[in-house]
Amino acid sequence: MIEVEELYKSYDEVEALRGVSFQVRPGEIIGLLGPNGAGKTTIMKILTGYLQQTSGSVRVDGLEVLDHPAAVQGRIGYLPENAPLYPELTVQSYLRMVADLRAIPKAEQRPRLSEAIRAVGLEERLNRPIGTLSKGYRQRVGLAQAILHKPSILILDEPTNGLDPTQIVEVRHLIKKLAQSSTVLLSTHILSEVEATCGRAIIIIKGEVKADARLSELAATTDALLTVLDTGSEATLAALATLPDVQHVELVSQENGRGRYRVHGATDRDLCPEIFRLARDNGWTLSELRKEVRTLEAVFNELAGGQGGVQ
C-alpha cells in the first residue's frame, strides 16, 4: 500500500529525513515511533502530498505521490496532529462540507455520513457546535472526516495527543475498529500507544529508520537468559562464565541470599540445559530460568542512546 525509498528532506541546512525507507502492506496497523522532532510529521506530510521531498520515491497504492497527488489523496484519510475543524459549525454541517470538498456525489453523501458518524460514535453530537465538544469528541470528528470517503489508507498524526486517559482508550478502540477496513499508519511519541494499537513499529531517530519489525520480533532481539539462583557471589559469576558459548554474565540483583543473573550467549545456542546442569552439580536451587524479553521501551532507549522525548 505504501512504498518509501531513500527519502530525504532538508530545510535549508537542517536535514530532517536521511534516507528513510519502509513498506506498509495491506491490512497492517503500523506505528511510526520516535521522539519529538524525529521527522515523523515530515514523513506523513510527504506521504499525503502536502510537502515535497528533497529526493527519494514515495508510492501509495502503486502511484507516485509527486506525479499523482490528487489521486493519492483520494485514497488516503488523513488526520493531522491538529485536526482541521471549524468550531462554529455543527458536527453535521462540518461533515457535509467535507463531503462536498471530497466531491462525494450528493446521492451518496447521506449514507456515507451515516456510516462515518456511527463508526466513531457521534450520533448524539450531530447538532452540537464543534467548539462546544470535549477534545475527545473533537478527535472523533477529525476521524470521521478522515474516513468519510472510505479511504484504503488511514494516516494519523499523534491521534491521542492531549487526550485524557479515558479518551485515549476510546480513540485506540476506534483506530482498531477502523483498521478492519483500512490500512493504518499512525505516528506517536508514546510507547504505550504503539504497544496497545499496532502490530509493527518503525522507529525513527533523527530522521533515520533505526528499527522496523513486528513488536514480538523487537521483544525477542536479545541473546540473554535470566536465571535466579540461591547463591550470589563472584564464584557463581565465574562458574556461569565458564559455560560453553557464554559471552558475558552480570549479577542483576541480589536479595535474601539469592542472585538474579543475566547470561549472554551465542544467539543460536540454547544455554538452559547447561545452566540447569551447573546448578544441579553445585547443589544450587534454581528458581527461575528463562529467555529475557525486552520491552519496547528498552529497545527504543537502546536505539536512541538516551535521547528523551518518548513516553
Side-chain angles (χ1 to χ4, degrees):
M1 296 298 285
I2 298 174
E3 299 171 87
V4 176
E5 295 180 5
E6 291 297 310
L7 192 62
Y8 285 83
K9 177 61 182 176
S10 298
Y11 299 96
D12 296 325
E13 301 299 317
V14 178
E15 207 168 33
L17 299 177
R18 299 187 287 179
V20 170
S21 298
F22 62 86
Q23 293 186 348
V24 179
R25 293 177 289 276
E28 288 191 295
I29 307 179
I30 293 183
L32 197 61
L33 177 64
N36 292 322
K40 306 185 300 297
T41 295
T42 298
I43 291 171
M44 292 196 154
K45 286 183 176 179
I46 291 173
L47 283 173
T48 52
Y50 291 98
L51 193 64
Q52 184 173 330
Q53 66 265 36
T54 302
S55 65
S57 173
V58 180
R59 289 183 294 277
V60 173
D61 205 11
L63 299 174
E64 187 73 39
V65 175
L66 285 179
D67 296 335
H68 307 280
V72 167
Q73 288 170 354
R75 288 164 166 78
I76 288 175
Y78 180 40
L79 177 63
E81 186 173 357
N82 297 306
L85 305 178
Y86 294 85
E88 70 278 6
L89 294 181
T90 66
V91 172
Q92 186 168 239
S93 298
Y94 170 74
L95 292 178
R96 287 189 182 281
M97 180 190 72
V98 173
D100 288 335
L101 291 173
R102 282 288 186 182
I104 297 173
K106 292 292 184 181
E108 297 180 22
Q109 285 191 13
R110 187 180 181 86
R112 293 283 187 92
L113 285 165
S114 297
E115 188 175 341
I117 287 164
R118 283 198 304 271
V120 301
L122 282 171
E123 296 95 329
E124 305 298 323
R125 303 292 192 281
L126 287 182
N127 296 313
R128 293 270 299 274
I130 292 172
T132 67
L133 300 177
S134 68
K135 186 158 187 178
Y137 273 100
R138 291 199 299 273
Q139 202 73 333
R140 288 173 184 245
V141 176
L143 284 169
Q145 66 81 25
I147 65 172
L148 195 57
H149 57 300
K150 292 187 175 180
S152 54
I153 300 169
L154 273 177
I155 294 182
L156 312 175
D157 194 0
E158 303 282 358
T160 62
N161 189 36
L163 302 184
D164 66 35
T166 300
Q167 294 167 341
I168 287 172
V169 172
E170 291 174 350
V171 170
R172 286 175 181 171
H173 284 315
L174 282 174
I175 291 170
K176 288 184 177 180
K177 182 179 177 182
L178 296 173
Q180 295 173 7
S181 57
S182 299
T183 299
V184 178
L185 177 65
L186 67 89
S187 81
T188 183
H189 64 281
I190 303 173
L191 294 166
S192 59
E193 189 79 10
V194 174
E195 291 175 319
T197 311
C198 304
R200 176 175 149 215
I202 300 172
I203 299 177
I204 307 288
I205 307 290
K206 295 181 179 178
E208 297 181 340
V209 174
K210 295 297 185 180
D212 180 357
R214 298 190 64 79
L215 298 189
S216 57
E217 294 169 351
L218 288 172
T221 53
T222 176
D223 59 6
L225 291 171
L226 287 176
T227 183
V228 176
L229 303 166
D230 66 341
T231 172
S233 66
E234 291 295 327
T236 306
L237 275 173
L240 289 167
T242 61
L243 293 174
D245 292 324
V246 169
Q247 298 171 345
H248 176 63
V249 183
E250 54 188 305
L251 179 62
V252 178
S253 62
Q254 190 170 1
E255 186 178 356
N256 299 325
R258 298 195 308 170
R260 178 182 292 272
Y261 301 87
R262 181 178 288 113
V263 183
H264 297 270
T267 55
D268 59 348
R269 178 71 183 272
D270 183 7
L271 295 174
C272 289
E274 297 287 347
I275 294 174
F276 176 79
R277 281 192 288 270
L278 181 68
R280 181 195 60 193
D281 294 345
N282 285 275
W284 299 332
T285 298
L286 178 65
S287 55
E288 183 179 343
L289 179 58
R290 62 179 174 84
K291 189 172 181 63
E292 183 177 35
V293 177
R294 297 195 299 175
T295 63
L296 184 58
E297 180 179 6
V299 174
F300 182 87
N301 286 336
E302 180 180 308
L303 293 171
Q307 182 176 343
V310 173
Q311 302 170 6

